CSV table of all heavy atoms in Angstrom, one decimal:
chain,number,residue,atom,x,y,z
E,1128,PRO,N,-317.2,27.5,129.6
E,1128,PRO,CA,-318.3,28.5,130.0
E,1128,PRO,C,-319.4,28.6,129.0
E,1128,PRO,O,-320.5,29.0,129.4
E,1128,PRO,CB,-317.5,29.8,130.2
E,1128,PRO,CG,-316.2,29.7,129.6
E,1128,PRO,CD,-315.9,28.2,129.5
E,1145,GLU,N,-332.6,22.9,109.1
E,1145,GLU,CA,-332.5,21.5,108.7
E,1145,GLU,C,-331.1,21.0,108.6
E,1145,GLU,O,-330.8,19.9,109.0
E,1145,GLU,CB,-333.2,21.4,107.3
E,1145,GLU,CG,-334.7,21.5,107.4
E,1145,GLU,CD,-335.4,21.3,106.1
E,1145,GLU,OE1,-334.8,20.8,105.1
E,1145,GLU,OE2,-336.6,21.7,106.0
E,1177,ILE,N,-332.8,13.7,119.8
E,1177,ILE,CA,-332.8,12.5,120.6
E,1177,ILE,C,-333.1,11.3,119.8
E,1177,ILE,O,-334.0,11.3,118.9
E,1177,ILE,CB,-333.8,12.6,121.8
E,1177,ILE,CG1,-333.4,13.8,122.7
E,1177,ILE,CG2,-333.9,11.3,122.6
E,1177,ILE,CD1,-334.4,14.1,123.8
E,1180,SER,N,-333.5,4.8,120.3
E,1180,SER,CA,-333.7,3.5,119.7
E,1180,SER,C,-332.5,2.6,119.6
E,1180,SER,O,-331.4,3.2,119.5
E,1180,SER,CB,-334.3,3.6,118.3
E,1180,SER,OG,-333.3,4.1,117.4
E,1185,ALA,N,-334.5,6.4,114.8
E,1185,ALA,CA,-335.8,7.1,115.3
E,1185,ALA,C,-335.4,8.5,115.8
E,1185,ALA,O,-335.9,8.9,116.9
E,1185,ALA,CB,-336.4,6.2,116.4
E,1195,ILE,N,-344.6,20.4,129.7
E,1195,ILE,CA,-345.9,20.9,130.2
E,1195,ILE,C,-346.5,20.1,131.3
E,1195,ILE,O,-347.5,20.5,131.9
E,1195,ILE,CB,-346.8,21.0,129.0
E,1195,ILE,CG1,-347.0,19.6,128.3
E,1195,ILE,CG2,-346.4,22.0,128.0
E,1195,ILE,CD1,-348.0,19.6,127.1
E,1199,ASP,N,-345.0,13.4,139.7
E,1199,ASP,CA,-344.4,13.7,141.1
E,1199,ASP,C,-343.4,12.6,141.4
E,1199,ASP,O,-342.5,12.9,142.2
E,1199,ASP,CB,-345.6,13.6,142.1
E,1199,ASP,CG,-346.5,14.8,142.0
E,1199,ASP,OD1,-346.1,15.9,141.5
E,1199,ASP,OD2,-347.7,14.7,142.4
E,1230,ASP,N,-341.4,20.5,115.3
E,1230,ASP,CA,-340.4,19.7,114.5
E,1230,ASP,C,-339.7,20.6,113.6
E,1230,ASP,O,-339.9,21.8,113.6
E,1230,ASP,CB,-341.1,18.5,113.7
E,1230,ASP,CG,-342.1,19.0,112.6
E,1230,ASP,OD1,-342.0,20.2,112.2
E,1230,ASP,OD2,-342.9,18.2,112.2
E,1249,GLN,N,-335.2,15.5,129.7
E,1249,GLN,CA,-334.9,16.4,130.8
E,1249,GLN,C,-333.4,16.8,130.8
E,1249,GLN,O,-333.0,18.0,131.0
E,1249,GLN,CB,-335.2,15.8,132.1
E,1249,GLN,CG,-336.7,15.6,132.3
E,1249,GLN,CD,-337.1,14.8,133.5
E,1249,GLN,OE1,-337.1,15.3,134.6
E,1249,GLN,NE2,-337.3,13.5,133.3
E,1251,GLU,N,-331.3,16.9,128.1
E,1251,GLU,CA,-331.0,17.8,127.0
E,1251,GLU,C,-331.6,19.2,127.2
E,1251,GLU,O,-331.0,20.2,126.9
E,1251,GLU,CB,-331.4,17.2,125.7
E,1251,GLU,CG,-330.7,15.8,125.3
E,1251,GLU,CD,-329.2,15.9,125.4
E,1251,GLU,OE1,-328.6,16.9,125.1
E,1251,GLU,OE2,-328.6,14.8,125.6
E,1258,LYS,N,-327.4,24.3,132.0
E,1258,LYS,CA,-327.1,23.4,133.1
E,1258,LYS,C,-326.5,22.1,132.5
E,1258,LYS,O,-327.1,21.5,131.6
E,1258,LYS,CB,-328.3,23.2,133.9
E,1258,LYS,CG,-328.1,22.5,135.2
E,1258,LYS,CD,-329.3,22.5,136.1
E,1258,LYS,CE,-329.0,22.0,137.5
E,1258,LYS,NZ,-330.1,22.2,138.4
E,1283,LEU,N,-304.9,16.9,125.5
E,1283,LEU,CA,-305.3,16.9,124.1
E,1283,LEU,C,-304.6,18.1,123.4
E,1283,LEU,O,-304.2,18.0,122.2
E,1283,LEU,CB,-306.8,17.1,124.0
E,1283,LEU,CG,-307.6,15.8,124.5
E,1283,LEU,CD1,-309.1,16.2,124.5
E,1283,LEU,CD2,-307.3,14.7,123.6
Side-chain angles (χ1 to χ4, degrees):
E1145 289 181 17
I1177 297 173
S1180 71
I1195 56 175
D1199 291 333
D1230 67 17
Q1249 293 170 83
E1251 299 307 333
K1258 191 167 188 174
L1283 291 172

